Amino acid sequence: MNRAALFDVDGTLADTNHLHVTSWWEALRQSGHHVPMHAIHRAIGLPGPDLLDHLLGKDRDRSDDEQLSAAHDTLYATYSDRLPAFRSAADLLRALSSAGWKVVLVTSAKDSELAALRRAVGADDAITATATADDVEKGKPAPDPVRRALDLAEVAPERAVFVGDSVWDMRAAVGAGVAVIGLLCGGIPREDLEEAGADAVYPDPAGLLTGLDDSPFSRVPSA
């Protein structure tokens, strides 16, 4: 197993982006910040502190950042027992694992959220390792999380393919020198994903599974 299939989770394997949008919107509203939901949606995929920088500015008063993040976490946790996976997400991971790929999750989710996401996807038997926002100093779009995943898989960048749904995913993977697949199921337009570096774009995990033999995965030889 000298190839790695790297996957974002929120918006890629699990249909959770809009749950995060709603949770961040309410957390921000409670603290007196009125941020449009479409702006929050575009920021999903960034680690919490970077998301707040993106939405509220780096020069803001940060005294309520911890409260904002805690409010988001509490609100989002109300969905934790019913997070929906995208159709064929588990089948896709198992197909790659069966074909000899090391499957590594690369997520901006905290360790506390990851267990619920893994239960939702339901493919732990196919997952080799996980790299979360808690494992690195800088999250996406910095390449650090992807490089961490490559280290865990013990695979060189040219032997890996990354799958994600946000421009932050695309930029992180490109920065790490990894081939990139974008999925539209997270709600970001094809043009944005391609501009950020996607080598190919598919509708969702089911679409990628159907087209796997012609995807960037097919361009990495088994030996």
Side-chain angles (χ1 to χ4, degrees), residues 48-70:
D50 295 332
L51 179 144
L52 292 174
D53 280 348
H54 185 77
L55 294 175
L56 303 178
K58 294 183 178 180
D59 298 330
R60 71 186 185 284
D61 178 3
R62 299 173 183 270
S63 59
D64 64 347
D65 278 15
E66 189 171 326
Q67 178 182 333
L68 281 167
S69 291

Side-chain angles (χ1 to χ4, degrees), residues 7-93:
F7 281 86
D8 173 61
V9 185
D10 283 303
T12 299
L13 298 174
D15 191 8
T16 51
N17 277 1
H18 289 87
L19 301 179
H20 280 294
V21 171
T22 301
S23 299
W24 277 116
W25 178 84
E26 177 60 18
L28 288 160
R29 188 198 66 80
Q30 289 175 3
S31 292
H33 301 288
H34 301 286
V35 181
M37 285 195 181
H38 72 84
I40 299 172
H41 180 214
R42 291 283 182 157
I44 297 300
L46 292 170
D50 295 332
L51 179 144
L52 292 174
D53 280 348
H54 185 77
L55 294 175
L56 303 178
K58 294 183 178 180
D59 298 330
R60 71 186 185 284
D61 178 3
R62 299 173 183 270
S63 59
D64 64 347
D65 278 15
E66 189 171 326
Q67 178 182 333
L68 281 167
S69 291
H72 162 270
D73 294 350
T74 299
L75 291 159
Y76 180 74
T78 63
Y79 304 110
S80 63
D81 62 345
R82 56 191 190 279
L83 299 179
F86 284 115
R87 183 171 60 92
S88 298
D91 294 337
L92 174 60
L93 299 191

Side-chain angles (χ1 to χ4, degrees), residues 3-8 12-13 93 96 101-106 145-151 153 155 157 159-164 173 176 178-179 181 217:
R3 301 180 293 177
L6 314 180
F7 281 86
D8 173 61
T12 299
L13 298 174
L93 299 191
L96 288 165
W101 292 80
K102 294 180 180 178
V103 176
V104 183
L105 304 184
V106 189
V146 180
R147 289 173 178 161
R148 169 66 176 162
L150 292 171
D151 289 342
V155 166
R159 305 288 299 165
V161 178
F162 181 94
V163 183
V178 173
I181 292 173
F217 283 105

